[in-house]
Amino acid sequence: METYIKEALFLLFQFCFIIQLYYLVNNYSRLAGYKPLEDLLPVTIPVSVIISARNEAKNLQHYLPFILEQNYPDYEVVVINDCSHDSSDTVLEVFQEKYPHLKVVTITEHDRFKTGKKFALTLGIKAAKNEHLLFTDADCMPGSANWITRMAANFSPSAQIVLGYAPYNKRKAFLNSLIRFEAVKAAINYFSAALNGNPYMGVGRNLAYTKSLFFSAKGFASHMHLIAGDDDLFVNQHATEDNTTIELHPEAFTYTDAKSTLSSWYKQKRRHFGVGKYYKNEHRRMLSIDAISGYLFYVLLIICLIFSFEPMLVLGVFIFRLILQIVIYSKTFKKLESNDLLWYLPVLDFCYYIYINTFGLLATFIKTTQWK
């Protein structure tokens, strides 16, 4: 009986390895070969940059000028001051005096009516005068003065959604490396899916779509009751092979600081994972199979080594997968300016699959009720 159990575990280990191999070769290799356009195209379509901010006075003071001073001929910046009780209103008033293309939408707190980010964004979209909308957060800094140009260049009569990349700033801490690694893995997943004609998500820190798409889809109406999902769930419901493009030039990145404590990161990820169960069935299956097979791969690897069942063969499989990851990831991580993380790939990859399954399970049972 013991022999049969060991053989079954080893077969399951091999099966998980094959699934992981499929994701690496079939899903991710195309992104490794993708080359963003280097030339800066002359783009003149009017753009509205939309930022929802709640109690973000400090971040607005620091980052908003980089958005207000973009090298772009025709754009406005719409900031929704969402029930802030800090000095956000004062900061925005000062900026309005200096920058005529800044528009402020103010939401005030109501005792019987609690607003969320989706409500704030909806008001901002309605207030925007332009058809092409570009979204980011108050704590984000564009990678260059050409951020709007790079993102807007992807719009076309058919392309109504542009998926951008929003990396975290590098800090000397293991948690920072893990958060950055998770962001890179998420980006690899959703950029690869988009390139393979099956887009399923984007991140609101760097995302663009048209106003007509938003209103034809009735905005966030189908998931307004959820605290999160203004970015990924909206894209999941409305992105198609024909209407979605990606932008991966470093000048089009938007940077932000990662959470510095486990508790704050847990709160953030609990909110994000909470909407995953509302994705389309095919996307839930795709993400779940990758997460579970990666988790079981490491669990079974450890079990096989502890009980000395074909240890050399098991280690050989692990090393082969690791080498293949490095080969495929090296180009992609370089594109995403995260090459330093490859040095810690075995540890970060192991921690990634542990945490993604843990957070995913917790998010199924715990409800988040506020976005800020």
Side-chain angles (χ1 to χ4, degrees):
M1 178 62 72
E2 182 179 345
T3 301
Y4 288 127
I5 293 176
K6 288 182 177 180
E7 289 180 353
L9 290 175
F10 183 65
L11 287 174
L12 182 57
F13 171 74
Q14 291 177 300
F15 180 65
C16 292
F17 164 71
I18 292 172
I19 293 175
Q20 289 287 293
L21 197 65
Y22 171 82
Y23 276 85
L24 281 169
V25 176
N26 184 73
N27 287 16
Y28 304 153
S29 57
R30 187 173 179 182
L31 180 60
Y34 175 80
K35 294 183 179 180
L37 184 66
E38 288 295 331
D39 295 335
L40 189 65
L41 300 179
V43 187
T44 58
I45 58 172
V47 172
S48 294
V49 178
I50 298 180
I51 302 169
S52 179
R54 177 175 291 185
N55 297 322
E56 296 278 11
K58 184 177 180 181
N59 286 326
L60 290 170
Q61 183 78 47
H62 183 71
Y63 296 112
L64 192 55
F66 294 98
I67 296 174
L68 291 165
E69 297 173 5
Q70 284 284 295
N71 181 26
Y72 197 77
D74 187 1
Y75 78 104
E76 66 172 354
V77 178
V78 181
V79 177
I80 308 98
N81 186 10
D82 185 14
C83 305
S84 299
H85 50 74
D86 60 0
S87 58
S88 293
D89 54 346
T90 304
V91 172
L92 291 170
E93 285 175 7
V94 172
F95 279 138
Q96 276 188 301
E97 293 178 0
K98 183 178 179 181
Y99 301 99
H101 57 299
L102 172 62
K103 181 184 295 182
V104 177
V105 177
T106 301
I107 304 175
T108 55
E109 195 78 58
H110 194 286
D111 293 337
R112 293 182 298 175
F113 183 65
K114 300 298 181 183
T115 64
K117 188 176 183 181
K118 292 175 187 175
F119 178 79
L121 288 175
T122 300
L123 292 186
I125 292 170
K126 288 181 177 179
K129 66 179 181 180
N130 298 318
E131 163 70 2
H132 298 89
L133 311 175
L134 177 55
F135 298 85
T136 190
D137 287 342
D139 60 353
C140 291
M141 179 174 175
S144 74
N146 296 321
W147 168 56
I148 296 178
T149 304
R150 291 285 181 184
M151 292 294 288
N154 292 277
F155 282 116
S156 70
S158 60
Q160 294 180 287
I161 299 175
V162 183
L163 307 180
Y165 180 52
Y168 290 106
N169 292 317
K170 181 180 177 180
R171 298 288 184 267
K172 290 185 178 180
F174 177 75
L175 181 60
N176 177 268
S177 296
L178 181 56
I179 293 175
R180 289 174 57 226
F181 184 81
E182 186 271 337
V184 172
K185 282 283 289 185
I188 289 173
N189 282 332
Y190 71 78
F191 283 133
S192 296
L195 288 175
N196 290 329
N198 190 24
Y200 73 90
M201 71 160 282
V203 293
R205 300 191 303 277
N206 199 3
L207 174 67
Y209 51 79
T210 62
K211 195 172 185 178
S212 57
L213 174 66
F214 180 81
F215 285 114
S216 66
K218 298 182 180 179
F220 306 122
S222 64
H223 50 89
M224 185 64 84
H225 61 291
L226 301 175
I227 199 66
D230 56 275
D231 47 8
D232 58 340
L233 200 51
F234 180 83
V235 172
N236 187 262
Q237 293 181 347
H238 307 297
T240 67
E241 178 180 3
D242 298 323
N243 75 356
T244 304
T245 62
I246 70 172
E247 176 53 64
L248 273 180
H249 195 283
E251 287 189 339
F253 293 175
T254 59
Y255 295 84
T256 189
D257 288 329
K259 300 298 182 182
S260 58
T261 65
L262 279 172
S263 60
S264 59
W265 186 45
Y266 166 72
K267 182 179 179 181
Q268 180 189 58
K269 298 312 297 182
R270 187 180 68 185
R271 185 171 67 247
H272 292 168
F273 276 98
V275 301
K277 56 189 173 185
Y278 298 98
Y279 282 10
K280 292 178 182 177
N281 289 335
E282 61 175 313
H283 299 141
R284 291 209 317 270
R285 285 194 297 268
M286 176 182 69
L287 295 172
S288 297
I289 290 172
D290 176 38
I292 294 172
S293 64
Y295 173 79
L296 289 177
F297 176 84
Y298 283 110
V299 170
L300 294 169
L301 169 70
I302 294 170
I303 291 175
C304 288
L305 291 177
I306 289 175
F307 291 99
S308 299
F309 187 75
E310 301 289 352
M312 298 306 296
L313 182 57
V314 168
L315 281 175
V317 170
F318 168 74
I319 293 172
F320 178 80
R321 175 178 177 267
L322 179 60
I323 293 173
L324 189 61
Q325 282 181 309
I326 293 173
V327 170
I328 293 177
Y329 283 165
S330 57
K331 293 182 179 180
T332 304
F333 275 52
K334 185 176 181 179
K335 286 187 183 73
L336 302 180
E337 297 191 341
S338 302
N339 233 21
D340 60 293
L341 297 175
L342 283 176
W343 292 100
Y344 314 101
L345 182 59
V347 175
L348 291 174
D349 195 59
F350 170 75
C351 293
Y352 167 80
Y353 280 109
I354 297 296
Y355 112 84
I356 201 172
N357 281 274
T358 303
F359 274 121
L361 184 62
L362 289 174
T364 304
F365 301 101
I366 300 175
K367 184 179 180 181
T368 303
T369 57
Q370 61 184 110
W371 76 273
K372 272 297 252 187

